[in-house]
Amino acid sequence: MNEPSPCDVLIRGRIITMDTDRRVLSDGWVAVTDGAIVGVGTGPAPYQPRETWGGDDHLVMPGLVNTHTHLVQGCIRSMAEGTRFQERLFGFYYPMTGACDEERSYWSAMTPTLDLLRSGVTTTTDDHFTHANKRSMDGVLRALTDAGIRARAARLLVNDPLAVPEELREDIETALSETDRLAAAYDSDTMSVTASTIGITYVSESDLRALYKWTLDNDKQFDIHAPSMMDGAYLKDVRGWAGGSFEWLHSEGMLDKHVIGIHAQNIRPGEAELLARAGASVSLVPDMELILGMVTFDSRRYLDAGVTVGLGLDGPVVSYGHNFWLGMRSYLMAQRIGDSARKLVRGDKGHFGDELLFGSAEEALELGTIGGARALGLGDRIGSLEVGKEADLLVIDLSTEPTAAPDGALLANLVWSGGPAPDSIDRVVVRGRTVMRRGQPVQVDLKEAVRRANEVQRELFQETGCDSFLRRGSTWQWS
């Protein structure tokens, strides 16, 4: 009889592998050594672990992957209420995030980062584009590192006079030099820093090409909002391009496997197929779309075309909470609302209840795990529980989670209820290391993070006067 092999940790429970066959193992286990998965199976495990986690009442699944956000927006969380896009962008977004130095950015980013971890996100992106203080993004990267989450962070250059205040504009030499500095300082097994911009029309054409070339030269991802809020007018009126944003990128030789298109809504016919042929991916942001009342959300064209799709949450200013389970639920809701709106526009008739509604909890979880990992170019490392992959995973205690009971429709329970409570997530694990236990971060003081975030916002209000944007439209009496 063979002796059991040693391993660092053996995790027992109901295992959602998210592998190619989408196996769910009722009496399963995952063996982890040196941060990597060395075995997955059912029944007796041929391993002798130093630690054992989970048990009969536990669910083990891949960590969630958030493919879009702006974490420095923690200091302006939820302030979009009652404001218009240009009003908030120039009225308080640029002034308040632009006033964040390294320390303020650290605490502004920490609370949404902990939100992500508490909901089970093990990988996030970040897009940072206010660099009045050149050390501002250092604060965000430090917060990500200290919290223990895996991240792909993009330093975004913005300099178009029509889109950006003068004090926030940079030249391309400064932008690439700073990106090189940040990559050298922070790149690691769980962190990758890249260069980009917000959208096509936020920088000059020559600078956009230079940013794209940097990503090719460094084998990094090119992260771009496309179409961005400003593309609709500026591409046509300023740059003389009547086509779509992805069509423009393709025409300029800047659409390939390195590109991830953010939001990616209101595209032109054929652009999804263009993305698929190029090997590019998209990050859909349905939670923000629902909050802002956009009923045109459509993921089907990408899925039907075979585009790699991940899900993102956007920044806290317009995606107020950072509970990724709500983002997955929003994905299903936004598509169903969009489908209904398109039916009304077409004049389709039918009896309520006869139609089969779009999507399932399984599909939402696929996009929120392995889909997001592939969209970020990490599908060979994370996103599923398979031998050889890194151990980014969740251990959920179902015995303390009432929304999961009865558990006959377990996945639908979890997705449609907004996920398990943070204190029911026994462990959030990144590369084999526990970074969150039952809602409490292992490496960061949660109460300190909340206290400092409040202090930073009050300081910024005092300096900028942007508290005038708070509670726009409120009929309550605040004293």
Side-chain angles (χ1 to χ4, degrees), residues 256-320:
D256 65 9
K257 66 179 183 179
H258 292 85
V259 174
I260 179 169
I262 309 301
H263 296 287
Q265 294 300 302
N266 300 312
I267 61 173
R268 285 161 51 89
E271 285 192 290
E273 290 74 15
L274 192 63
L275 282 161
R277 290 194 298 272
S281 58
V282 296
S283 170
L284 303 180
V285 192
D287 195 56
M288 182 277 290
E289 305 273 354
L290 281 181
I291 288 170
L292 296 184
M294 300 178 182
V295 298
T296 56
F297 180 84
D298 192 2
S299 65
R300 287 191 179 189
R301 60 179 64 192
Y302 294 114
L303 298 176
D304 290 346
V307 177
T308 300
V309 174
L311 301 179
L313 286 176
D314 215 337
V317 70
V318 289
S319 190
Y320 309 147

Side-chain angles (χ1 to χ4, degrees), residues 331-351:
Y331 162 74
L332 298 171
M333 293 174 64
Q335 186 67 43
R336 292 179 181 187
I337 291 171
D339 287 346
S340 295
R342 286 182 283 274
K343 286 178 65 177
L344 288 173
V345 169
R346 292 194 304 264
D348 292 357
K349 296 180 180 179
H351 297 290

Side-chain angles (χ1 to χ4, degrees), residues 84-104:
R84 298 177 178 87
F85 172 68
Q86 294 277 34
E87 179 184 31
R88 60 179 172 266
L89 186 65
F90 290 92
F92 63 83
Y93 186 110
Y94 284 144
M96 289 182 68
T97 61
C100 283
D101 58 11
E102 181 173 350
E103 191 69 3
R104 286 173 171 175

Side-chain angles (χ1 to χ4, degrees), residues 103-120:
E103 191 69 3
R104 286 173 171 175
S105 291
Y106 179 92
W107 293 113
S108 293
M110 183 60 79
T111 44
T113 298
L114 295 181
D115 268 359
L116 292 170
L117 281 173
R118 279 163 59 88
S119 71

Side-chain angles (χ1 to χ4, degrees), residues 18 61-67 120-121 123 309-311 324 328 362-373 383:
M18 209 60 75
M61 60 174 286
L64 304 175
V65 180
N66 173 38
T67 57
V121 171
T123 297
V309 174
L311 301 179
F324 194 79
M328 291 188 288
E362 291 179 357
E363 181 177 82
L365 276 170
E366 288 177 0
L367 297 186
T369 54
I370 188 63

Side-chain angles (χ1 to χ4, degrees), residues 70-81:
H70 307 276
L71 292 169
V72 76
Q73 287 184 9
C75 66
I76 53 174
R77 187 196 289 264
S78 304
M79 286 179 62
E81 284 291 278

